[in-house]
Amino acid sequence: QTCALPIYTAAGAFATWNRALQEFKKIDGRGFNVTLQGNNAVHTNNIDFGNCAGHMVGVQGVSIDCAGGTISTPGLTCISLSSGPTYGFGVSNVSLTGQYGIAIFDCPYNNVGAGVSFGACAGAHVSLDGTGGFLHMLHNYTISGGAPIHIQVSGNSIIASGTITVTLTGSPNFSIAFMEVDDHAVALVNSVTYSGGATGNRFLLRDGGRIITATNNLDFLPGSVAGA
């Protein structure tokens, strides 16, 4: 079941994502899910849950659905969460391009749903950090633009992928690595099929970081250089 704010007309809709979040904080979720629904357009304002996320009373989950639209925020992270909210977070049906696509710090229940595409980013497409952080890549997704790093995991966090296909278009470049895993973090991608190519290092492992793949081959991940 879903508990959402009333449906507003175009004239009365929230001007920004963060304005809608301010209203979310007033809701007693009563154990239901809250959906933040955007339209199929280019949105130039970011979604910053910040510490306020932990103040959403009784909410079981928060979902972001952009109906096939784009969040484009040069210099800003498209979607950011921090400080360990106790409910689940999900995002679907959106293209992301900005400083970072999704940045999560110290939040344990997160997933990437259907219809997500990562465009060009100045940082990482996905950054997961903080003790106990967890992100589940549940559905097929697309990479249509390059970044220094596609997925960056550190601080004992875990990113896990289901049985999905990741499609790369236009041979995007990753100037640092397609996947960087540091500080005893883990990336589980053994059920992923990668379709399409990329240039740059396939992976970068430091300080006890681990990547678990379906094979022992160094070329399992996209890229043109094995990695280290």
Side-chain angles (χ1 to χ4, degrees):
Q1 300 184 58
T2 300
C3 174
L5 293 171
I7 301 299
Y8 289 82
T9 65
F14 297 114
T16 66
W17 298 104
N18 292 322
R19 178 67 184 87
L21 284 175
Q22 291 178 20
E23 294 300 315
F24 280 6
K25 290 192 293 181
K26 303 174 184 178
I27 294 175
D28 182 351
R30 299 181 182 273
F32 290 104
N33 295 311
V34 173
T35 299
L36 180 59
Q37 178 73 60
N39 59 354
N40 186 355
V42 176
H43 301 267
T44 56
N45 53 88
N46 65 323
I47 305 175
D48 183 4
F49 282 84
N51 294 337
C52 72
H55 300 301
M56 296 181 189
V57 179
V59 173
Q60 179 179 350
V62 175
S63 298
I64 306 298
D65 188 332
C66 203
T70 297
I71 299 177
S72 178
T73 57
L76 296 172
T77 297
C78 297
I79 302 173
S80 57
L81 300 91
S82 63
S83 299
T86 56
Y87 52 78
F89 164 80
V91 59
S92 60
N93 299 315
V94 64
S95 297
L96 302 172
T97 177
Q99 184 69 25
Y100 287 80
I102 301 172
I104 300 171
F105 178 78
D106 197 22
C107 299
Y109 312 108
N110 311 285
N111 70 79
V112 173
V116 174
S117 176
F118 294 98
C121 287
H125 286 146
V126 178
S127 177
L128 180 65
D129 194 4
T131 301
F134 182 83
L135 178 64
H136 197 180
M137 311 294 277
L138 288 171
H139 294 269
N140 301 343
Y141 67 90
T142 300
I143 303 171
S144 58
I149 306 168
H150 172 51
I151 290 178
Q152 181 181 35
V153 195
S154 59
N156 289 296
S157 294
I158 298 174
I159 188 166
S161 298
T163 303
I164 64 173
T165 297
V166 176
T167 301
L168 296 89
T169 62
S171 192
N173 175 257
F174 299 95
S175 57
I176 295 176
F178 181 80
M179 189 172 294
E180 180 183 355
V181 186
D182 306 319
D183 194 19
H184 304 286
V186 178
L188 300 165
V189 292
N190 51 302
S191 297
V192 179
T193 298
Y194 294 100
S195 176
T199 59
N201 291 317
R202 292 185 169 91
F203 60 89
L204 179 60
L205 296 174
R206 295 187 294 195
D207 299 326
R210 291 177 292 163
I211 300 174
I212 298 175
T213 69
T215 71
N216 291 323
N217 295 333
L218 296 179
D219 60 357
F220 179 83
L221 296 172
S224 55
V225 182

